[in-house]
Amino acid sequence: MAIRTDYLEVRGLTVSFDGFKAVDAVDLTVYQSDLRFLIGPNGAGKTTIIDALTGLVGATGSAKFGATELIGRKSHQIARLGVGRSFQTASVFTELSVLQNLDIAAGAKRSPLALLGVRRGIPDIVSKALETISLTAEVNKPAGVLSHGQKQWLEIGMLLVQDSQVLLLDEPVAGMSADEREQTGQLLKQVGADRTVIIVEHDMEFMRRFADSVTVLHGGKVLSEGSVAQVQADPRVQEVYLGRANATPDLAEAMEPADNPADESAPSPRAKV
Amino acid sequence: MIGYLKGPGRVWVGLALGAVVLFVLAPSVLSDFRLMLLGKYLCFAMVAVGIGLAWGRGGMLVLGQGVFFGLGAYLMAMHLKLSDAGPGKAPDFMLLYGSGVVPFWWEPFRSPVVTLVAILLLPAAIATVLGLAIFRRRVKGAYFAILSQALAAAFAILLIGQQTTTGGTNGLNGFRGFLGYNLFDPVNKQLIFSIAAAVLLAMLLLTWHLYRSRYGELLVAVRDQEERVRFLGYNPANIKLVAYAIAAAMAGVAGALFVPIAGIISPADVGVVPSIAFIIGVAIGGRNTLLGPVLGTILVAYAQTTLSEQFPGFWTYFQGALLILVIAFLPGGLASLWTVVKRGRRPGPPSAAPMAAAAADPALASEQKVSI
Ligand SMILES: Nc1ncnc2c1ncn2[C@@H]1O[C@H](COP(=O)(O)OP(=O)(O)OP(=O)(O)O)[C@@H](O)[C@H]1O
Ligand SMILES: [Mg+2]
């Protein structure tokens, strides 16, 4: 895979739902090999940004990867341009095997004739991805029987074989055990080395451990941006997360109980795809 | 892995068995009348194979396959009427009810070649145009089902209204020859039956290949998570379109073969009721399997013939009850009975384990929750 030095440049991205601006003039610049975390309270607009970048919701403004404008294109075209995403709830094809999941993800550019053929063996790119996501032993298992963590890894594997240069991951470690989080973090560091990665997360400990840079979103706007330390020290960020300024300076402590990502009962603003 | 090795073998054995039954056994033990009856069932089964593909694998509840069945049937019937009438002459019913002038759009079907090509292409082409409009707009689920159902209703009404050009409610009937062969000759009846049997087996082979192909896997992916497939870089509309068009083509060919076998085609054979009957057979047999739809459809058609002979008026209720029972207690259809019995317990919600076999060989997939 050719190393690309393109970067993601978002300018004035705005998404309105019936006049309500879920994303409001957001600017973002994310470079390759810079693990960017996108954080913010529930309803801040994190998922909506990913939706806008991948054509799921209409948006105004601009989002360029390299020279290519993404806004205004259809979802499947954006995917073919090398922008891949995962979903807040793992969405693999549960009735298909791990191999079939990956093979489908690898095949968007296959010709109709190739699609009508039967797969023989395991494509190279798939076996490489299987190793990367440590699912080689599970290759013939239906994706539905994988553990929650394994499903998320399969999602990441699908993005890899899809040859995505931009990975937009929506809460990839939500609901994972501590071990699985650690492994996922390492995996993301590894795959992020030659890709542009945005990770939406509520888990502050995970963020502090793996983020190269952080963008804090609030009410659809960028509130703060910088290194983990810079963002943590920002009084506006503390205010958003605590409801009042100048309380506990430790963001991790402050945010963890309020925004437990594993808490399935947390009110969801809408059904996720 | 065992499932993978057994899978193709099982299908070959099944098809070989089917060939022996249809080519050797049936013609030698059945009377001409019964053989033609079975021939009709085989035509219904062809429609069912397509429904298995579009609905079982593709998740499209095609409630209007009667339209494509009817298209193929009327194309063939027009040709038979014209060839019975002789070169340049008008079919009998046109002389009886109309002006006796053959409408311009009938004329091309004097040619057997044009008719054959039209039967193969027209239903698929119409399905493609419809499908483009429907799938691009992301119409799915119940909306798709209602739309296809409405289409069948509209088609039947259209036919009924055209007494002088389509035979109206009576439809087209009284065919005497098929491609130059006398349709009353028992030898020719057997020949037509054999053609239907061969076509059905060929369709099964084609479908089996599709199920094993990458396309077949992709179709299941679209059925289960259409949006996810979109974000992998595919346009799900095109993937569904292919299955829909193939199902339409199969229904069209089925209709075309139905005409010389049944000797009649009328709006009652193509409207809402037969369209639903197709679905019922597939659901009862097991929509997610290769052979389930075929066996289910033949079974239901046979039961209908027998029961409605003995208890007229009772059949509709029986059919409804059967469908409800299957959906409630055997969502995978009769084809899943084997798995259920093997597990020795009542079928719960489809667990992932039996799907392992399905993953290795989709043709074996036998459990599928019924969702509309
Ligand atoms: N399709 C939609 N129609 C109307 N409002 C929407 C829609 N999608 C999102 N919203 C609203 O936009 C806002 C941002 O939602 P979004 O899902 O992007 O938040 P988020 O930052 O991902 O939150 P969470 O952390 O809970 O996932 C919310 O107020 C939400 O209710
Ligand atoms: Mg979200």
Side-chain angles (χ1 to χ4, degrees):
Chain A
M1 177 182 328
I3 304 278
R4 308 220 355 215
T5 48
D6 297 333
Y7 59 97
L8 183 69
E9 189 177 40
V10 177
R11 290 292 172 265
L13 188 72
T14 303
V15 179
S16 315
F17 296 116
D18 299 323
F20 163 70
K21 284 187 176 167
V23 175
D24 193 357
V26 164
D27 293 347
L28 264 181
T29 308
V30 186
Y31 296 97
Q32 191 176 299
S33 84
D34 167 32
L35 273 197
R36 171 68 57 92
F37 275 62
L38 191 57
I39 66 169
N42 290 112
K46 307 178 294 292
T47 299
T48 308
I49 288 184
I50 294 186
D51 289 350
L53 294 180
T54 54
L56 188 57
V57 297
T60 56
S62 148
K64 282 187 177 164
F65 176 59
T68 321
E69 177 63 55
L70 303 179
I71 303 302
R73 286 181 200 268
K74 295 196 173 116
S75 297
H76 67 273
Q77 294 169 333
I78 294 174
R80 281 162 173 260
L81 289 170
V83 178
R85 70 171 293 176
S86 73
F87 291 86
Q88 212 161 328
T89 47
S91 51
V92 293
F93 308 116
T94 50
E95 290 196 6
L96 299 177
S97 70
V98 169
L99 171 59
Q100 287 171 324
N101 269 271
L102 289 168
D103 188 61
I104 287 173
K109 288 176 182 158
R110 283 186 193 126
S111 70
L113 212 65
L115 278 179
L116 288 178
V118 179
R119 179 187 49 253
R120 307 264 173 233
I122 302 178
D124 282 347
I125 186 167
V126 170
S127 44
K128 249 176 77 186
L130 279 168
E131 256 169 60
T132 311
I133 58 174
S134 330
L135 286 182
T136 308
E138 273 73 26
V139 63
N140 285 318
K141 281 192 192 161
V145 306
L146 297 181
S147 74
H148 174 75
Q150 287 175 322
K151 278 185 194 151
Q152 290 285 8
W153 295 336
L154 178 56
E155 284 246 29
I156 296 170
M158 287 163 78
L159 294 177
L160 297 181
V161 296
Q162 197 185 336
D163 200 15
S164 296
Q165 295 307 310
V166 179
L167 308 187
L168 308 170
L169 308 174
D170 204 350
E171 306 194 17
V173 301
M176 281 189 184
S177 69
D179 272 359
E180 287 174 331
R181 280 171 207 229
E182 179 62 24
Q183 280 190 56
T184 309
Q186 299 297 350
L187 172 61
L188 292 177
K189 270 222 167 323
Q190 185 190 341
V191 305
D194 50 6
R195 291 183 182 82
T196 307
V197 183
I198 295 182
I199 301 168
V200 169
E201 255 312 329
H202 281 293
D203 182 336
M204 293 304 133
E205 204 186 307
F206 181 73
M207 176 204 80
R208 287 198 303 180
R209 171 120 174 70
F210 292 103
D212 293 320
S213 59
V214 183
T215 299
V216 184
L217 215 63
H218 178 54
K221 292 198 170 80
V222 174
L223 185 71
S224 178
E225 192 168 284
S227 68
V228 176
Q230 282 168 343
V231 166
Q232 269 182 310
D234 189 330
R236 288 171 304 170
V237 175
Q238 292 171 10
E239 189 177 334
V240 162
Y241 272 94
L242 297 170
R244 60 201 147 87
N246 302 324
T248 331
D250 188 349
L251 208 57
E253 261 178 46
M255 287 186 272
E256 197 62 355
D259 267 323
N260 187 352
D263 186 1
E264 300 281 326
S265 65
S268 170
R270 69 198 150 106
K272 294 297 192 289
V273 184
Chain B
M1 259 350 312
I2 291 168
Y4 186 74
L5 291 174
K6 262 166 66 185
R10 234 164 76 167
V11 171
W12 282 116
V13 168
L15 288 181
L17 215 70
V20 170
V21 168
L22 293 178
F23 291 121
V24 182
L25 206 61
S28 54
V29 302
L30 294 180
S31 69
D32 281 348
F33 175 73
R34 292 281 160 195
L35 194 68
M36 286 299 99
L37 217 49
L38 182 58
K40 271 161 72 171
Y41 303 165
L42 295 188
C43 294
F44 297 150
M46 293 174 202
V47 183
V49 174
I51 293 177
L53 176 69
W55 182 37
R57 292 300 160 112
M60 294 164 270
L61 182 47
V62 282
L63 266 179
Q65 289 305 84
V67 171
F68 305 116
F69 182 81
L71 270 171
Y74 272 89
L75 285 170
M76 176 61 88
M78 282 156 68
H79 172 69
L80 295 189
K81 282 314 257 182
L82 287 168
S83 78
D84 278 354
K89 300 225 178 65
D92 45 12
F93 78 96
M94 286 189 188
L95 299 167
L96 214 59
Y97 299 113
S99 58
V101 178
V102 178
F104 74 93
W105 52 273
W106 269 68
E107 286 295 345
F109 304 108
R110 283 190 194 277
S111 148
V113 178
V114 171
T115 308
L116 216 64
V117 172
I119 287 166
L120 287 174
L121 296 186
L122 204 61
I126 289 178
T128 304
V129 173
L130 278 173
L132 275 176
I134 295 172
F135 301 134
R136 289 263 157 101
R137 285 188 178 73
R138 305 193 187 175
V139 175
K140 46 191 160 190
Y143 298 101
F144 174 81
I146 291 167
L147 204 71
S148 49
Q149 176 95 95
L151 215 65
F155 185 57
I157 290 167
L158 183 78
L159 289 171
I160 291 170
Q162 305 291 315
Q163 173 83 24
T164 53
T165 54
T166 66
T169 322
N170 299 336
L172 301 175
N173 51 40
F175 315 112
R176 293 194 300 273
F178 176 61
L179 305 176
Y181 294 97
N182 182 345
L183 273 176
F184 300 106
D185 185 339
V187 177
N188 291 340
K189 283 186 175 178
Q190 296 210 353
L191 179 72
I192 292 173
F193 175 85
S194 302
I195 294 175
V199 168
L200 176 61
L201 291 175
M203 283 182 182
L204 280 170
L205 262 178
L206 172 74
T207 309
W208 177 49
H209 174 75
L210 283 178
Y211 284 179
R212 293 174 1 136
S213 73
R214 283 179 149 131
Y215 171 76
E217 301 175 351
L218 191 54
L219 190 61
V220 170
V222 170
R223 178 193 71 192
D224 292 345
Q225 299 243 28
E226 182 165 339
E227 287 308 309
R228 189 70 188 89
V229 173
R230 201 184 299 284
F231 291 103
L232 292 175
Y234 297 94
N235 188 352
N238 296 341
I239 299 162
K240 288 160 94 172
L241 196 61
V242 172
Y244 186 52
I246 293 177
M250 287 180 171
V253 170
L257 285 167
F258 177 85
V259 162
I261 291 176
I264 180 169
I265 185 73
S266 76
D269 299 316
V270 308
V272 170
V273 175
S275 293
I276 293 177
F278 288 138
I279 288 283
I280 291 179
V282 173
I284 286 175
R287 65 186 167 121
N288 201 21
T289 59
L290 181 64
L291 295 177
V294 169
L295 299 178
T297 300
I298 293 177
L299 200 73
V300 169
Y302 174 73
Q304 172 162 22
T305 313
T306 328
L307 289 177
S308 57
E309 263 169 21
Q310 287 168 13
F311 319 97
F314 167 73
W315 169 250
T316 336
Y317 301 105
F318 182 74
Q319 199 178 25
L322 203 60
L323 182 68
I324 291 169
L325 279 176
V326 165
I327 287 178
F329 297 107
L330 208 60
L334 292 178
S336 68
L337 208 55
W338 166 245
T339 333
V340 173
V341 169
K342 213 167 56 175
R343 278 189 294 156
R345 57 189 167 90
R346 289 172 48 137
S351 66
M355 276 300 158
D361 176 26
L364 279 180
S366 56
E367 280 211 332
Q368 184 53 53
K369 55 176 181 277
V370 171
S371 63
I372 287 181

